[in-house]
Amino acid sequence: MSNRVFVIAEIGVNHNGSLELAKKLIDVAAEAGADAVKFQTFITENIMGPFTPKASYQIKNTNPSETQYEMVKKLELGREIHFILKEYCISRHIQILSSPFDLESLDFLADKLNLPIIKIASGEITNAPLLLKAASFNKKIILSTGMSTLGDIEEALGVLAYGYIEGKKGTPSKEAFKEAYYSEIGQRLLATKVTLLHCTTEYPAPIEEINLKALSTLKQCFGLTVGYSDHTLGIAVPLAAVALGAGVIEKHITLDRSLPGPDHKASLEPKELAQMIQGIRQVEKALGNSYKKPSISELKNQKITRKSLVAACDINKGEVFTEKNLTVKRPGGGLTPIELWGLLGKPAAKSYIKDEMIT
């Protein structure tokens, strides 16, 4: 990742199983200036049983009579569709990412589709076999940390460090993961390959539960690039995350929040996405660097807005300077006001008329 904030427009399952809708969402992301779009790749029977219940937000936003399995099965993207979407993204000059939710899907994304970055969703942070295999491909990984403690994250990073070091070799174990995490090579590999995303896993996420200050905690604890995956309504929180140092922003997008499906209501519509990205680029520029010095545009205003020591009344040559015959007025360019006390009690070397700068 460069110093430029990497903006991911999360399509997720908001394509509703339609290739045409998926392409329209890619168009929206590309036209808004996003760096990447992200989908979700899974084989439903590999990730859940047939009677898995829905989360409360899924019940609220979809048909409550269907199981999660039935809902998710309709949102699967076929393998050939992935290739079509990749080619379409290339034509629109935008990167394609996807989150795998099972080992077979991970193999497909990393090997067959050859994606350079693997995005791991928050729910998979404890899925050590998936993490291990993801790292074994030696690709960059973006890891969302919703619902996690610092201990959960450290454990996941240990698995990734081991996978990067050993590849598909070695004998995995909790002890080996810990050793890999604390090793010099493990830390170096994590620093160059892994980005952590702070996240609150609720749709939409309540503002009071976002805890953006955790971004600095993640940075301090792990020394990795940090970003933010947002599920709040609106664009204020991701802009604030950029101001706090997020190098990656991920946000769900939709053509219309009223569309059926579990994630549409917590997503941005096209104009909002464009506004968010425009705002991110502005905040990015405004951050600047840590040096405190006058900017180029400020310098021309110094003389006008600052003040000088001037005569409060006519002062004759030889007359002693006092607090009564000296005052402070614009413009700058003469003796600065801090010189006042050094002049008090001294004789004037020349005569001054009222409001003349003291030299």
Side-chain angles (χ1 to χ4, degrees):
M1 306 297 173
S2 69
N3 290 331
R4 185 175 186 270
V5 176
F6 189 73
V7 180
I8 303 170
E10 161 108 43
I11 294 172
V13 294
N14 281 353
H15 50 74
N16 286 4
S18 162
L19 174 59
E20 181 183 357
L21 181 53
K23 285 184 173 181
K24 286 181 179 177
L25 287 166
I26 292 170
D27 290 337
V28 164
E31 288 159 16
D35 297 290
V37 292
K38 189 182 81 68
F39 292 91
Q40 295 177 9
T41 303
F42 52 86
I43 299 169
T44 308
E45 51 266 34
N46 287 355
I47 64 171
M48 67 181 70
F51 304 110
T52 302
K54 288 180 179 177
S56 58
Y57 79 92
Q58 293 172 335
I59 294 171
K60 184 177 179 181
N61 296 333
T62 61
N63 180 357
S65 66
E66 67 181 358
T67 64
Q68 185 175 165
Y69 181 96
E70 292 168 330
M71 176 192 74
V72 169
K73 188 65 179 175
K74 295 185 296 188
L75 301 174
E76 268 187 33
L77 283 177
R79 298 305 192 231
E80 288 305 313
I81 297 294
H82 280 76
F83 285 107
I84 294 169
L85 292 174
K86 182 180 179 181
E87 289 303 312
Y88 193 70
C89 284
I90 292 170
S91 74
R92 292 309 317 261
H93 306 289
I94 191 168
Q95 192 169 342
I96 184 171
L97 306 177
S98 192
S99 292
F101 289 83
D102 59 88
L103 294 174
E104 191 176 334
S105 295
L106 171 59
D107 274 336
F108 170 73
L109 293 176
D111 190 20
K112 301 293 191 298
L113 205 61
N114 195 27
L115 298 187
I117 301 172
I118 301 299
K119 166 67 201 302
I120 304 294
S122 292
E124 305 304 313
I125 197 167
T126 58
N127 188 347
L130 185 77
L131 296 175
L132 182 61
K133 190 159 198 175
S136 74
F137 287 105
N138 202 33
K139 295 175 184 282
K140 290 190 174 183
I141 289 174
I142 299 175
L143 177 64
S144 272
T145 63
M147 306 174 288
S148 299
T149 64
L150 292 177
D152 293 331
I153 297 166
E154 183 174 302
E155 197 167 73
L157 290 175
V159 178
L160 293 179
Y162 181 87
Y164 281 129
I165 294 168
E166 298 293 339
K168 295 179 171 66
K169 309 188 303 292
T171 305
S173 68
K174 290 183 72 173
E175 292 73 23
F177 299 152
K178 184 178 288 188
E179 184 178 331
Y181 176 72
Y182 287 110
S183 70
E184 185 178 337
I185 186 173
Q187 286 292 308
R188 186 169 68 249
L189 286 167
L190 291 173
T192 57
K193 292 182 179 293
V194 178
T195 295
L196 296 176
L197 299 190
H198 176 53
C199 177
T200 301
T201 308
E202 176 64 310
Y203 305 83
I207 292 287
E208 64 275 13
E209 294 183 12
I210 299 306
N211 193 24
L212 276 184
K213 290 184 179 180
L215 280 167
S216 60
T217 302
L218 292 178
K219 184 74 173 175
Q220 290 167 4
C221 288
F222 303 109
L224 306 180
T225 299
V226 298
Y228 174 62
S229 180
D230 186 50
H231 299 139
T232 64
L233 299 175
I235 66 173
V237 178
L239 296 185
V242 173
L244 288 172
V248 176
I249 292 293
E250 180 181 71
K251 182 81 173 177
H252 279 78
I253 64 168
T254 181
L255 290 185
D256 185 339
R257 272 191 290 273
S258 67
L259 286 170
D263 296 338
H264 289 282
K265 286 182 172 54
S267 303
L268 292 182
E269 293 181 347
K271 286 184 180 178
E272 295 168 322
L273 176 66
Q275 289 169 349
M276 183 191 79
I277 294 175
Q278 181 184 36
I280 286 172
R281 300 302 172 218
Q282 289 173 336
V283 172
E284 205 173 56
K285 288 179 181 177
L287 284 173
N289 54 50
S290 59
Y291 299 112
K292 177 56 184 170
K293 57 182 173 53
S295 69
I296 293 171
S297 64
E298 282 182 305
L299 288 173
K300 67 181 185 298
N301 297 322
Q302 267 189 350
K303 190 172 180 179
I304 303 301
T305 58
R306 288 187 173 179
K307 292 175 177 164
S308 302
L309 285 175
V310 301
C313 57
D314 291 345
I315 302 174
N316 295 319
K317 181 179 178 179
E319 187 177 340
V320 172
F321 288 122
T322 68
E323 290 190 18
K324 289 185 178 180
N325 64 17
L326 291 177
T327 191
V328 173
K329 289 187 178 181
R330 287 181 178 179
L335 288 179
T336 63
I338 201 170
E339 304 289 346
L340 169 66
W341 297 276
L343 288 178
L344 296 178
K346 292 182 178 178
K350 58 178 287 271
S351 294
Y352 294 93
I353 62 172
K354 184 181 178 181
D355 291 333
E356 184 179 351
M357 283 185 186
I358 306 300
T359 57

